[in-house]
Amino acid sequence: MKVCLTDPKKDPAAWAASLGISREAIEIYLASDVVDLHIDSFIWTRIFGYDLTRRHDRGLFGARFYSQVDIPRIRETEITGGVWIITTNPLRSGSSRARTFTKNLARLKAIFEQCPSDVAFVRTASEYRDAREKKLHAAFVGIQGGNAVDADVGLLTSDIVLVTLVHLSSSRLGASSAPNAISALGGGKGGLTAAGKDYVRALNDKRIFVDLAHISRRGFFDALRVHDRSQPVIVSHTGVSGVYRHWRNLDDDQLRAVADTGGTIGIMFHWPFLGGGFCGCSAERVVMHLEHIVSTVGEDFASLGSDWDGAILTPCDMATCRELPRLVQHMLDRRWSEERIHKVLGGNWLRTLAELRP
């Protein structure tokens, strides 16, 4: 199957005009690697059959919660790579979670295989470069909720590029940052368990990124204490407390800790975590969070981690991925250099990836 595309490179001026931004912003965007560290759309495929290979409109709720991306729009928007996430249902038993993960991985890879002219399933930096040369979207796969396979870590193969240790509920691995997480570990207060520490070591052995999004602050530093210091850690999707204080966001000490490993931090697009008012915010808030990372630890450690379709409420001027170049205009308005823009859009992730999986 080949998805039907509209090629923005054929008329970048028209794309710029349709978004109300400069042609310079479009040209910088099109010259960049654009990689998203956290795309959650597969969850809607699992729940009600959302077809990733078909172009959708904004859905029942005007692109709120879901219908923010699909493969045709990813391609049309020239998003050159993305980590497509398999999210864990914590209410299943350990053996059921493992079986379900195996089925879901096969299902997601089969979706990519339906579009060989548009998508390449990739696991390494060299495979990404090969996909890029072929003008394909490079699709990585990650797991959100390490307890997907806590009953059998042998299921963690090189097909998986990252594992978010915990999600919105605490597990036998450790505590979520969510204050209402249901667990004896105590959401937001507990740390990483002994099983969680062993799990981090297993990810290191398999050269799978340890993703510290969603974990409690105590668990965050517990993980770093046992993590292989020769490997980078990442936070795939978050906000930063230096711009907006929230239980979901990282403080400056956490930013420095990730940067010290050579990792990167993806800023998500959920406006309640970005701040900006009761009725939402503009995409400029995303850039403000990115800029705080830059001012705190440098421009080599900030990335994009949208959480598209993760039941999020996107900025009012960037409801779907089609409006993503507006980020670049906000960057230019804040006098960012072209080099910094290239780094944040994808270069920082690719540097980090090359360190772990060349």
Side-chain angles (χ1 to χ4, degrees):
M1 176 187 298
K2 181 174 175 61
V3 298
C4 182
L5 301 178
T6 301
D7 187 354
K9 288 185 176 178
K10 290 182 178 179
D11 195 349
W15 194 16
S18 71
L19 295 178
I21 63 177
S22 67
R23 178 161 180 165
E24 179 188 10
I26 290 291
E27 289 177 345
I28 291 173
Y29 178 90
L30 290 173
S32 301
D33 290 284
V34 181
V35 185
D36 191 321
L37 275 60
H38 197 96
I39 301 172
D40 233 350
S41 309
F42 181 58
I43 192 171
W44 299 108
T45 300
R46 294 164 58 186
I47 291 174
F48 59 79
Y50 183 78
D51 186 351
L52 294 176
T53 69
R54 184 172 67 84
R55 183 190 292 101
H56 296 264
D57 59 20
R58 296 190 175 193
L60 295 174
F61 308 110
R64 298 175 182 89
F65 309 115
Y66 83 108
S67 203
Q68 294 153 0
V69 303
D70 46 53
I71 290 173
R73 284 183 287 175
I74 285 276
R75 293 283 281 138
E76 290 167 358
T77 312
E78 296 286 329
I79 297 174
T80 59
V83 183
W84 295 75
I85 297 298
I86 298 173
T87 300
T88 305
N89 181 348
L91 300 180
R92 296 180 182 272
S93 67
S95 59
S96 176
R97 289 195 301 271
R99 288 194 301 272
T100 302
F101 163 73
T102 300
K103 291 177 182 178
N104 284 329
L105 176 60
R107 184 178 181 184
L108 182 55
K109 290 170 65 177
I111 291 170
F112 299 149
E113 289 166 2
Q114 290 177 43
C115 309
S117 300
D118 298 287
V119 180
F121 169 59
V122 301
R123 296 159 295 187
T124 66
S126 61
E127 289 178 355
Y128 170 87
R129 291 192 296 270
D130 183 61
R132 188 80 160 100
E133 289 177 3
K134 295 175 181 176
K135 304 187 186 308
L136 302 176
H137 171 77
F140 301 89
V141 173
I143 298 173
Q144 182 161 243
N147 57 332
V149 293
D150 59 350
D152 184 3
V153 295
L155 294 174
L156 289 171
T157 69
S158 61
D159 282 353
I160 304 303
V161 73
L162 67 82
V163 175
T164 313
L165 292 180
V166 299
H167 191 200
L168 291 171
S169 61
S170 300
S171 74
R172 65 183 291 266
L173 300 179
S176 170
S177 63
N180 59 346
I182 302 173
S183 172
L185 293 168
K189 299 177 182 178
L192 203 64
T193 65
K197 293 172 184 176
D198 287 341
Y199 197 96
V200 169
R201 296 184 185 103
L203 294 177
N204 289 163
D205 289 344
K206 295 171 179 288
R207 302 191 76 77
I208 296 171
F209 280 108
V210 175
D211 177 12
L212 296 179
H214 282 290
I215 199 166
S216 67
R217 191 177 191 279
R218 177 177 160 190
F220 180 101
F221 287 104
D222 285 346
L224 287 175
R225 276 189 283 273
V226 297
H227 187 270
D228 181 346
R229 295 294 296 177
S230 71
Q231 297 184 18
V233 298
I234 66 166
V235 180
S236 64
H237 60 305
T238 188
V240 295
S241 293
V243 176
Y244 183 67
R245 293 191 63 81
H246 194 281
W247 58 261
R248 183 63 179 80
N249 294 346
L250 299 186
D251 63 34
D252 289 356
D253 287 342
Q254 291 173 297
L255 299 182
R256 294 185 188 100
V258 174
D260 284 347
T261 73
T264 193
I265 301 134
I267 293 299
M268 68 185 306
F269 300 169
H270 185 43
W271 71 252
F273 297 164
L274 298 172
F278 179 77
C279 296
C281 68
S282 79
E284 185 180 17
R285 293 292 292 190
V286 175
V287 179
M288 290 171 66
H289 283 249
L290 290 165
E291 192 166 73
H292 184 80
I293 297 173
V294 171
S295 65
T296 304
V297 295
E299 65 184 30
D300 296 323
F301 306 103
S303 295
L304 305 182
S306 68
D307 203 18
W308 292 124
D309 289 338
I312 66 169
L313 300 170
T314 51
C316 55
D317 59 345
M318 198 171 68
T320 75
C321 64
R322 290 286 292 170
E323 296 82 44
L324 192 59
R326 284 185 173 142
L327 277 183
V328 177
Q329 186 61 59
H330 288 300
M331 294 171 180
L332 290 172
D333 290 345
R334 300 176 79 88
R335 300 186 183 278
W336 281 30
S337 69
E338 187 171 338
E339 180 183 12
R340 177 185 293 177
I341 294 170
H342 288 318
K343 286 181 178 181
V344 170
L345 292 183
N348 289 337
W349 159 254
L350 295 175
R351 172 194 55 77
T352 304
L353 177 66
E355 290 180 19
L356 189 69
R357 292 186 169 192

